[in-house]
Amino acid sequence: MPEDGGGRPLTAVLRPEQVEIVENWNVIGMRGTGSHDLVVDGAVVPDEWTFVRGGEPTVDEPLYRYPSVPYAAQVLAVVGLGVARAALDHVIAQGGRASYTGAPVPAERATYRIAVGQAEAQLRSARAYFYETTEEVWATVTAGDPASARQASSLRLASAHLAKTSFEVVRAAYQLGGIGAIADGNPMERCLRDASVVPQHAFLQEGMYDGAGAVLMGVQPFPGYL
């Protein structure tokens, strides 16, 4: 940790040949992300190729005035949003499929229609909050001002809430998929696995609600939140 970094990690930029990729991303979902470990042995990095992650930017442009850690959380959260949209679209399209048991098709069942309607409202609400907050903060930084602590917290809250809601929507869609959803290769099986990974990230876990609540009430959030 740098002495003047406020507890934030010092990050270095290296050339590809200085890094060894250890392919150990053995996970249930999100296998395509390739989030492998990196090994660096004996590399010397000049000071000008290092920076404090989440620290003061050295370039004064709108993108660099945008809060970096909340931005990282947003990048992760939108993955869950995309997976949830795909899962919900799938069960909507499957509303006319024939039942294995001879029961009415899903679209003719009130329980199926209610679940689809609730999931659609959940997802669109979380998505609207996420993009509303993003647009507010972007307007601030493009006007030449830094984002406030309250705005940075709102981004973190919107991201965590989107990840959580997206997973809930996928679980609801998975259940609507019936017994066919459990088959290896079924789209719903993959959606469930992938969506479950997103809210597991440290930036998107339940603790973000605690940090956001602290900021909203004017008390100090846990260390590293802002």
Side-chain angles (χ1 to χ4, degrees):
M1 295 289 184
E3 293 182 0
D4 58 350
R8 298 184 177 93
L10 182 66
T11 304
V13 179
L14 297 100
R15 295 184 178 88
E17 62 269 19
Q18 294 177 292
V19 179
E20 176 189 355
I21 299 175
V22 180
E23 296 188 4
N24 58 355
W25 185 241
N26 300 317
V27 293
I28 297 299
M30 299 299 296
R31 294 175 181 171
T33 62
S35 300
H36 306 294
D37 283 349
L38 303 176
V39 174
V40 179
D41 185 13
V44 177
V45 181
D47 287 343
E48 60 268 25
W49 286 94
T50 66
F51 62 94
V52 177
R53 192 179 72 182
E56 291 296 321
T58 57
V59 178
D60 187 24
E61 294 180 5
L63 181 61
Y64 299 96
R65 288 193 292 270
Y66 199 90
S68 58
V69 175
Y71 176 70
Q74 289 186 284
V75 169
L76 300 167
V78 293
V79 175
L81 171 61
V83 174
R85 184 69 264 169
L88 194 51
D89 286 347
H90 180 75
V91 295
I92 290 173
Q94 291 293 303
R97 75 177 190 275
S99 170
Y100 293 131
T101 63
V105 298
E108 295 177 357
R109 306 174 203 164
T111 53
Y112 196 96
R113 297 194 300 267
I114 289 170
V116 166
Q118 289 175 334
E120 185 74 20
Q122 277 184 285
L123 190 62
R124 284 181 176 268
S125 296
R127 181 185 186 279
Y129 173 43
F130 179 85
Y131 282 110
E132 175 188 297
T133 305
T134 302
E135 289 170 2
E136 176 192 329
V137 177
W138 184 247
T140 296
V141 299
T142 52
D145 300 316
S148 66
R150 194 181 185 95
Q151 286 179 317
S153 178
S154 293
L155 290 173
R156 300 206 69 173
L157 175 59
S159 298
H161 187 63
L162 182 62
K164 178 176 182 289
T165 301
S166 296
F167 182 35
E168 291 173 350
V169 167
V170 172
R171 283 193 298 180
Y174 178 81
Q175 290 181 314
L176 290 176
I179 194 64
I182 70 172
D184 189 18
N186 185 284
M188 297 309 304
E189 183 264 342
R190 179 174 178 179
C191 285
L192 183 66
R193 286 189 287 111
D194 287 351
S196 69
V197 173
V198 180
Q200 291 293 104
H201 196 282
F203 286 173
L204 301 171
Q205 292 180 1
E206 290 284 320
M208 298 307 106
Y209 287 96
D210 174 38
V215 172
L216 287 169
M217 292 183 284
V219 299
Q220 187 67 30
F222 60 83
Y225 177 72
L226 292 175

